[in-house]
Amino acid sequence: MCDNIINSSGREMDLLEYLLAVTLFYFCPRNEQAKPTTGLEYTFGRRSKGANMVKEVVHIWELGGGAFLSDLIDLPISASTIEGLSIVLVLDLSEPEELWNTMERLLQQVRQRITKVMHEINLTNPKYAKYLENKAWKKYGIDHLDKDMIDPLPIKLAIMGTKYDIFQDMDPEKRKTICKTLRFIAHVNGAILQFVSLKSESLVSRVKQVISHFAFGTSLSHIVSMDYTKPLIVPSGSDALGQIGVPPVPQGELARIHAKKPLELWKQGYCAYFPQKEFGNSVKSHDIKRDKKFSEDAIDQARLQKDKELENYRKHQEKKAKKLHSN
C-alpha cells in the first residue's frame, strides 16, 4: 500500500534499490528464506528530484498473513491519504484454490473502508468527493461500453499475480480460467493487472515500473498483453467485458448456478472450477512470541519464568491425578 518511502531500519535507500527491495523481497517470494511480514508493517523510501534535489518520500504499509488480518487495512486509509493512496494486491498464481477467497476478502475490506472514508469526505467536502470519483473514471472515459457494469475505486490499484514461472506450466484451461477471472476483477475495480516471476528480469522490471508510478508518478509503459499463453499486462481502463468473454462455468455446472450479479456468476464459476480452501490462521505458521525483532529482555524473561511455572504445575497435576487414579 503506497502513499508516499524508508526501510524499517531508518537507512536511506537509493530509489532503484528500494524498488527492488519492495517488489522482490516484500511482494514476491524468493528461493532463499525471506523474513515473513507480521501483521501490518511500515517502511519508506525517498529519492531526490530535479536540479534542487528536492526529496520525494513514499510511505509503504505492507499487510502480511493473507486475508487473516485484513481489517488492519483500515489503518492507512483515511480522508487525508486517499488522494495519494495506491494499493497493490499480491496474489499467488500457483495456488488457485486460495486465490478467490484471498482476493475477495482483501478487496471487500478495501472497498468497505474506502466507501466509509468517501462518505465522511462527502459530508464535509462534497466537491472534493466528486473530484475523486471523476478522477477514478478518467481511465475509462464517460462513454465506455461497460460503464454500467464497473465500479472503479477512487485510488490507484494494481493486482500482481506472482509465481508466473510455476503458473505457466499449468494446464492451459486452468490458466485461461484464472486469466479471464483476474481480468474481470481488475476491470470492474479499475485496477492494473500484471503477472510476475522473479526468474524473468523483464517482468520484474515492469512491476518496478508500476511501483515507481504509484510512488513517484513516473510514466507507465503502454505495453498490453491479454493473451493467456503469455504473462498478462493489462493497464487499468484498457480492457472490456466483451474482450474478456463469458464466466468460466464448467460443463454441467450452469444449471446449478444461481447468480443475480456478474460478480456472483464469476465467483460461482471460478469456485466450481477451483473449489476454495477454508481460511486458516496463517499467522500461526510464524510464532510472533518468539520473533527476535520483537524481543524485550525483561518481558521475555518474565514470560520464560511463567512458562516454567506452568510446566511445573502441569507435571504436579499429572502426578496428583495418577495417585488418585491408582488409589
Side-chain angles (χ1 to χ4, degrees):
M1 207 173 289
C2 312
D3 178 19
N4 280 332
I5 298 181
I6 307 179
N7 75 14
S8 54
S9 66
R11 179 174 61 88
E12 181 173 349
M13 304 175 73
D14 174 76
L15 172 62
L16 183 60
E17 181 189 357
Y18 168 73
L19 293 176
L20 188 63
V22 171
T23 55
L24 301 191
F25 293 100
Y26 280 80
F27 293 155
C28 308
R30 293 177 69 90
N31 292 331
E32 57 263 36
Q33 188 66 33
K35 293 181 180 179
T37 299
T38 305
L40 187 68
E41 295 192 5
Y42 170 80
T43 188
F44 75 91
R46 52 192 167 194
R47 72 168 187 175
S48 299
K49 181 181 179 182
N52 296 326
M53 301 297 285
V54 176
K55 295 286 187 181
E56 290 187 324
V57 180
V58 58
H59 304 282
I60 303 291
W61 298 86
E62 186 200 359
L63 178 68
F68 174 66
L69 298 173
S70 60
D71 56 336
L72 293 178
I73 289 175
D74 292 1
L75 297 176
I77 304 176
S78 66
S80 62
T81 65
I82 193 168
E83 186 173 0
L85 184 70
S86 303
I87 293 178
V88 179
L89 175 58
V90 182
L91 301 173
D92 188 341
L93 296 174
S94 70
E95 297 287 349
E97 293 81 10
E98 298 178 4
L99 187 146
W100 183 279
N101 280 349
T102 301
M103 172 185 65
E104 181 181 51
R105 176 78 69 86
L106 293 171
L107 279 178
Q108 282 179 349
Q109 191 71 34
V110 167
R111 187 170 286 280
Q112 287 172 8
R113 176 58 180 168
I114 288 177
T115 299
K116 183 178 180 180
V117 170
M118 288 294 288
H119 176 70
E120 293 171 357
I121 294 173
N122 192 53
L123 291 176
T124 57
N125 192 345
K127 287 185 178 180
Y128 181 49
K130 190 65 178 177
Y131 160 76
L132 293 173
E133 291 174 3
N134 291 337
K135 188 178 177 182
W137 277 98
K138 278 187 177 180
K139 65 192 76 170
Y140 292 98
I142 58 174
D143 297 323
H144 198 285
L145 293 175
D146 302 332
K147 63 182 180 181
D148 295 329
M149 304 285 286
I150 55 183
D151 186 16
L153 289 164
I155 58 167
K156 293 175 183 175
L157 176 65
I159 297 175
M160 298 292 178
T162 63
K163 299 187 182 178
Y164 180 76
D165 52 303
I166 298 174
F167 174 78
Q168 66 182 345
D169 294 329
M170 286 185 183
D171 175 77
E173 281 303 311
K174 290 183 177 181
R175 282 188 282 128
K176 186 176 181 180
T177 296
I178 295 169
C179 287
K180 288 177 65 175
T181 301
L182 289 179
R183 282 178 62 188
F184 171 80
I185 293 297
H187 181 55
V188 299
N189 286 285
I192 295 169
L193 174 62
Q194 286 196 188
F195 287 176
V196 63
S197 166
L198 295 185
K199 298 180 179 179
S200 169
E201 290 186 13
S202 62
L203 293 181
V204 169
S205 178
R206 291 191 181 109
V207 171
K208 286 161 56 179
Q209 191 178 67
V210 172
I211 301 299
S212 179
H213 171 68
F214 280 3
F216 303 110
T218 55
S219 60
L220 276 175
S221 169
H222 297 294
I223 295 175
V224 178
S225 175
M226 299 181 183
D227 185 347
Y228 76 92
T229 64
K230 300 176 182 179
L232 293 187
I233 306 171
V234 188
S236 55
S238 65
D239 216 337
L241 295 177
Q243 293 178 315
I244 296 170
V246 298
V249 180
Q251 195 170 22
E253 292 288 332
L254 187 60
R256 303 179 188 179
I257 291 178
H258 303 283
K260 296 180 180 179
K261 297 180 180 179
L263 180 61
E264 293 177 4
L265 183 59
W266 279 87
K267 177 180 180 178
Q268 292 183 39
Y270 180 89
C271 293
Y273 208 103
F274 297 106
Q276 296 294 283
K277 297 178 182 177
E278 291 295 323
F279 275 127
N281 183 346
S282 59
V283 174
K284 287 182 179 178
S285 62
H286 173 57
D287 194 340
I288 299 173
K289 299 188 297 298
R290 292 175 173 79
D291 194 322
K292 291 183 179 179
K293 68 181 176 181
F294 300 120
S295 63
E296 292 285 349
D297 288 341
I299 296 174
D300 293 342
Q301 288 298 323
R303 174 59 189 262
L304 185 62
Q305 180 62 33
K306 290 297 181 183
D307 285 344
K308 289 180 178 178
E309 291 175 5
L310 179 61
E311 181 64 17
N312 290 335
Y313 175 78
R314 184 185 64 79
K315 290 179 178 179
H316 175 72
Q317 292 298 314
E318 286 180 353
K319 289 180 180 179
K320 187 177 179 180
K322 287 180 180 178
K323 286 182 179 180
L324 289 174
H325 183 71
S326 60
N327 293 333

